[in-house]
């Protein structure tokens, strides 16, 4: 199964165990399948925030279409801690070599069902975003990071909401995207663990791959009502649907 969002969002009430201090490490892993072609705007794949109405405290990962970049942002007390990677400058990893060739249903290295595995690591022991934050595309590290923001000194308040396929970045986001196997860990995953979670493009649960220690959220996209396998996040709504795959 996977989530067929159809331009809608899946929402959870966040649990109490998302790493809230700037020195707390974490990793985000998810399979994404862009179903759009052409168009404009930015797609926020995953967004964890303190309130649905406030953008001052949030962690999100997104595709920025105009710049053709993958984006990570840990925004605390309205201060951004960013990292971005140009998709076309990482052509050996992404399969896209031109800024005019966008990451959409027709382009980019994907599995046979159109999914790309994206994994982000945040190393809380570092001092700046150039080194603290890394992105892996189908198990391969993306190079040439574009930002070098200083490490934030601000902790998060209680993070109240987790949103898959959210759109709080701009008014043109929330493009039609499918999702599978969304996982959050409160540690930096090793290169071996990253490769194992990629699993040659086949979705695999933390339990099945044997990487369930330090897991703080996992949605396997097996139910239209949404289930966090850790039991810490409570499902709120799903305006999309699940469809059988694999």
């Amino acid at each position: 199964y996977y989530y067929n969002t159809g331009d809608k969002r899946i929402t959870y009430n966040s649990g109490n165990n998302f790493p809230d201090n700037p020195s707390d490490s974490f990793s985000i892993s998810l399979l994404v399948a862009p179903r759009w072609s052409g168009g404009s705007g930015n797609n926020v794949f995953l967004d964890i925030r303190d309130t649905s109405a406030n953008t001052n405290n949030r962690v999100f990962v997104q595709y920025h279409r105009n710049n053709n970049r993958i984006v990570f942002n840990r925004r605390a007390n309205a201060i951004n801690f960013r990292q971005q990677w140009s998709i076309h400058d990482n052509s050996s990893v992404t399969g896209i070599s031109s800024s005019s060739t966008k990451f959409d249903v027709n382009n980019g290295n994907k599995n046979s069902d159109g999914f790309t595995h994206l994994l982000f690591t945040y190393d809380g022991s570092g001092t700046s975003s150039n080194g603290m934050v890394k992105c892996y595309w189908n198990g391969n590290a993306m190079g040439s990071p574009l930002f070098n923001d200083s490490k934030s000194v601000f902790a998060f308040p209680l993070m109240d909401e987790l949103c898959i396929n959210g759109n709080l970045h701009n008014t043109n986001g929330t493009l039609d995207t499918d999702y599978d196997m969304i996982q959050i860990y409160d540690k930096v995953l090793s290169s071996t663990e990253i490769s194992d979670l990629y699993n040659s493009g086949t979705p695999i649960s933390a339990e099945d791959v044997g990487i369930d220690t330090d897991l703080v959220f996992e949605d396997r996209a097996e139910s239209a009502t949404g289930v966090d396998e850790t039991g810490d996040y409570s499902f709120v709504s799903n305006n999309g649907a699940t469809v059988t795959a694999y």
Side-chain angles (χ1 to χ4, degrees), residues 17-19 24-30 46 48 59 61 72 117-124 132-136 162 181-191 193-194 197 206 211 213-218 233:
N17 57 6
F18 185 82
D24 292 338
S25 298
F26 61 90
S27 300
I28 297 171
S29 173
L30 68 168
L46 182 69
I48 304 109
V59 171
V61 294
F72 169 97
H117 182 245
L118 295 176
L119 192 146
F120 303 82
T121 62
Y122 171 94
D123 184 353
M132 285 181 67
V133 185
K134 296 181 180 180
C135 177
Y136 297 80
L162 181 151
M181 212 58 70
I182 304 104
Q183 295 147 332
I184 302 174
Y185 290 83
D186 63 356
K187 69 173 184 178
V188 173
L189 292 165
S190 69
S191 58
E193 291 171 325
I194 291 167
L197 282 170
I211 312 174
T213 303
D214 302 306
L215 182 71
V216 298
F217 175 83
E218 180 178 68
Y233 289 68

Side-chain angles (χ1 to χ4, degrees), residues 21 38 64-65 78-79 99 111 113 118 158 165 187 216:
N21 288 305
H64 192 294
R65 184 178 181 83
I79 298 175
S99 61
N111 68 14
D113 292 287
L118 295 176
L158 179 65
N165 209 51
K187 69 173 184 178
V216 298

Side-chain angles (χ1 to χ4, degrees), residues 9 16 63 93 98 146 150-151 161 174 182 202 231 233 237:
R9 64 182 62 190
N16 296 320
Y63 171 56
V93 171
S98 170
L146 298 170
S150 296
K151 182 178 179 179
E161 189 168 277
T174 316
I182 304 104
T202 301
Y233 289 68
S237 65

